[in-house]
Amino acid sequence: MPSQPPPPLPHFARTGHAAHCNRCLTGLPSSQIDVDAQTLAVGFYCLGTLDILGLLESKTNEVERKDWKEWIWEQVRTGSYGTGFKPGSYMTPESKSLSETDQFREFDPPHLIMTYVALLSLAILRDDFSKLDRQGITKFVRSCQREDGSFSSLPNSGDSDLREVYCAFAISSMLDDWSGVDVDRAIQYIRRCMSYEGGYGQEPSGEALGGTTYCALASLYLAPSSKHRDPGTSITPTERSRMIRWLVQNQTLEHGGFSGRTNKLADACYCFWCGASLHILGASPLVNSTTLTTFLSSCQFKFGGFAKAPNERPDPYHTYLSLAAISLFPPPSENKDDPNYEEWKNVSRIDPLLNATLETEKWIRRHVPAPSHYQTFESHEH
Amino acid sequence: MPRNSDDEDRKLYSERPEWADVTPVPQYQGLNPIAPIFYTPQYKDATEYFRGVISTGEKSERVLELTEAIIRMNPAHYTAWQYRYQTLIALKSPLDLELKLMDGIAIQFLKTYQVWHHRRLLLTALHDTPSSSSSQPAALAELAFISRVLMVDSKNYHTWSYRQWLLSYFDDVHLWTGEISFVERLLEEDVRNNSAWHHRFFVVFGRGQQQGEEDRPEVLKRELGYTKDQISLAPNNPSAWNYLRGILEQTKTPFSNLESFVQLYVSSEPPKQDILDLENPAPGESAELPCVAALEFLADIHEQAGADRVQKAIEIWKSLGDKYDTMRKKYWEYRIREALASS
Ligand SMILES: [Zn+2]
């Protein structure tokens, strides 16, 4: 059969996407009140968007970037549970002395997911991490792990499912210090989340879901190798085939994007969650990047930003994840004569395991782990 | 309808004499915060009084009213939920009344995780010995409530997780027995509801398995029969095919046992059946054939048989990539490569 020429690429609203995120960084309308307890995550999606577009330097100024770094560091809290970042100031009293009382230590505590996004955001802003209490963070991660191997988002309370497992693993990987995690127990938990369809549910016995399948897979590949375990080997070949089958099946015929579950509609964020999962499994060529590009371009909002589906309102979460998906799956080379091809290709490459641009990932690897005091000593030894 | 406490014309806490003894605590702003939200006056006021009661550690009836007001404005405010729960426990409040109040809130905000988490905490506190027979009516009532919510949104992930948690927590045979007919009701309405198929797997082969149904071959027969019937009604339904694969793999049943069934779905025309074969229901007149999932299934049977039958599998994969499922062409080519590499 002769292959059809790919459909023409629409305009890529580069500056519009940056403007959408810049607007959100400045402020959100009261209708967005449901993100009040997770503003740091919103900040990460906005900064991540600017980073992936390569527009952080040109679309923001030095004073703003300095203020944002300062604000993120202000979210650090230390208690008997260790040190971490809280989601923002939605619970924080104006008076500093009040915020340091036991009452607010308990009800304005650090949050595991927010600690992960804080480290990524600071790296995007090229912070030198000289203020990072590394041992405190490790202690915090440890105090979030529960009997069954999972992690709770707050010390002793809050959600606990594969999202928190992923954040604990990503934080440990960034710090290059796994002493806060009982890795084997966590992997046992991850395995209990695997569903008969091939993907992972949000918690044990849950329905296979794109987002948590990414969390499970990325965790298994971030996990340090040990005597009895290499990255990714916690998945058998049969499980791997079943997972690839299910992921590929989620690219929907109707719109060409990925859905998060069987028989659901395509959604821009699942283009990343499912696409990145295939990428991690070494199966990225199996994604149909032509229909993926068509779907994502239809999710572009005319004034910038991406929505979860065509004709919906854009938000920073879907904007960042759409761009991350485009980074992993740029339009195919059959499009190379298209006038818009270069614009779609001109997106920074990302590391799918940490979910950061390669430059930012490099920065993390260099600045987040504890500076080694033994390096010189060791090099003398050998 | 009772009036909600978030009515627009409600007085601010700062204007209410019964709150005059609480010092409101303003929120820290900072110089240039990331993504600050422009609060409504009502939200700003309520959260300042919330910080006020937190600073003194007050746990009282009015704290329940205040946290409810905040939750209705922002159901994702997990600290308000957390403090509300602690207050309920401290006051020894009747938790069954709280559960009733939460019924309306759950339906209004069913996409919010906290709504369901709070219910788990309440059920756990109300029934700390879940296996006792006195817990059974309450658990049944809760199942009925979840069913009502699933009528509003039949694929809500949190609601299904909560149902699975509830069944596992009480783990009572009387609870499990109704689940299959519940799933079937939902699938009658929408046979593509993957959450319902998943729940069926959970009930029959997952956590629910230990209850009754000791005769596993009989169970497998029943499940195969049901799934085949659903496929015959709507052949191009990945949920049903995934379920079929799931139960075969779970019970280590070879795919080839289904060969005569899938053969009915792989040609372009519906097969002419002289005698009605109840074991192998055929696709209906209007079915879109051939069915991609059936072709895939048949190719898997050929591949598993090995030897010269691998070639037959390769032909099917080629037809899928070139004709019947061109969107996944690269996947079918990959299947061919993998098969060739291992044969
Ligand atoms: Zn989405």
Side-chain angles (χ1 to χ4, degrees), chain B residues 34-81:
Chain B
I34 283 180
I37 298 174
F38 298 104
Y39 296 139
T40 61
Q42 288 80 6
Y43 187 78
K44 182 170 178 289
D45 167 70
T47 51
E48 286 182 357
Y49 278 81
F50 182 49
R51 269 176 239 107
V53 298
I54 293 238
S55 67
T56 58
E58 175 178 333
K59 285 177 175 137
S60 62
E61 283 299 326
R62 67 179 179 185
V63 168
L64 294 179
E65 196 242 280
L66 175 65
T67 49
E68 185 190 335
I70 293 173
I71 284 164
R72 286 184 185 277
M73 287 186 271
N74 176 14
H77 195 302
Y78 59 78
T79 319
W81 284 104

Side-chain angles (χ1 to χ4, degrees), chain B residues 92-132:
Chain B
K92 299 192 168 57
S93 283
L95 298 182
D96 46 341
L97 289 183
E98 172 74 359
L99 201 59
K100 260 218 168 56
L101 172 70
M102 285 302 136
D103 286 359
I105 293 184
I107 292 183
Q108 197 180 349
F109 303 114
L110 51 87
K111 291 204 188 317
T112 308
Y113 172 88
Q114 275 74 25
V115 167
W116 301 104
H117 184 65
H118 189 63
R119 284 191 94 88
R120 281 194 199 194
L121 294 178
L122 293 176
L123 264 291
T124 311
L126 275 166
H127 306 281
D128 51 1
T129 47
S131 51
S132 77

Side-chain angles (χ1 to χ4, degrees), chain A residues 57-74:
Chain A
E57 296 267 304
S58 60
K59 295 287 178 189
T60 66
N61 63 53
E62 210 168 304
V63 177
E64 285 173 315
R65 295 196 294 272
K66 190 178 140 281
D67 285 349
W68 290 332
K69 277 196 266 189
E70 228 163 77
W71 184 84
I72 297 172
W73 282 115
E74 278 177 356

Side-chain angles (χ1 to χ4, degrees), chain B residues 221-232:
Chain B
K221 203 171 152 220
R222 182 193 72 203
E223 292 307 302
L224 286 176
Y226 178 76
T227 311
K228 288 197 261 186
D229 284 346
Q230 301 312 307
I231 289 177
S232 79

Side-chain angles (χ1 to χ4, degrees), chain B residues 80-221:
Chain B
W81 284 104
Q82 191 187 359
Y83 202 72
R84 177 180 185 82
Y85 181 73
Q86 292 192 9
T87 305
L88 287 165
I89 298 301
L91 296 179
K92 299 192 168 57
S93 283
L95 298 182
D96 46 341
L97 289 183
E98 172 74 359
L99 201 59
K100 260 218 168 56
L101 172 70
M102 285 302 136
D103 286 359
I105 293 184
I107 292 183
Q108 197 180 349
F109 303 114
L110 51 87
K111 291 204 188 317
T112 308
Y113 172 88
Q114 275 74 25
V115 167
W116 301 104
H117 184 65
H118 189 63
R119 284 191 94 88
R120 281 194 199 194
L121 294 178
L122 293 176
L123 264 291
T124 311
L126 275 166
H127 306 281
D128 51 1
T129 47
S131 51
S132 77
S133 57
S134 61
S135 301
Q136 209 199 88
L140 276 169
E142 191 62 4
L143 270 186
F145 170 73
I146 302 171
S147 304
R148 285 210 302 283
V149 179
L150 287 173
M151 292 303 156
V152 180
D153 180 354
S154 63
K155 298 181 181 178
N156 186 275
Y157 203 90
H158 301 309
T159 318
W160 281 108
S161 297
Y162 177 61
R163 190 177 188 96
Q164 283 143 15
W165 172 80
L166 188 89
L167 287 162
S168 311
Y169 182 69
F170 288 96
D171 200 14
D172 182 310
V173 68
H174 299 283
L175 298 181
W176 290 108
T177 45
E179 287 308 280
I180 294 206
S181 57
F182 171 68
V183 163
E184 287 176 6
R185 265 207 316 281
L186 283 177
L187 289 178
E188 244 165 66
E189 253 167 61
D190 175 11
V191 74
R192 294 169 174 274
N193 183 342
N194 197 61
S195 303
W197 282 103
H198 174 85
H199 191 65
R200 189 177 183 104
F201 195 93
F202 170 75
V203 171
V204 179
F205 297 98
R207 193 65 162 75
Q209 185 182 321
Q210 51 193 297
Q211 304 295 328
E213 306 201 320
E214 274 76 17
D215 188 357
R216 299 315 287 175
E218 200 48 48
V219 168
L220 176 65
K221 203 171 152 220

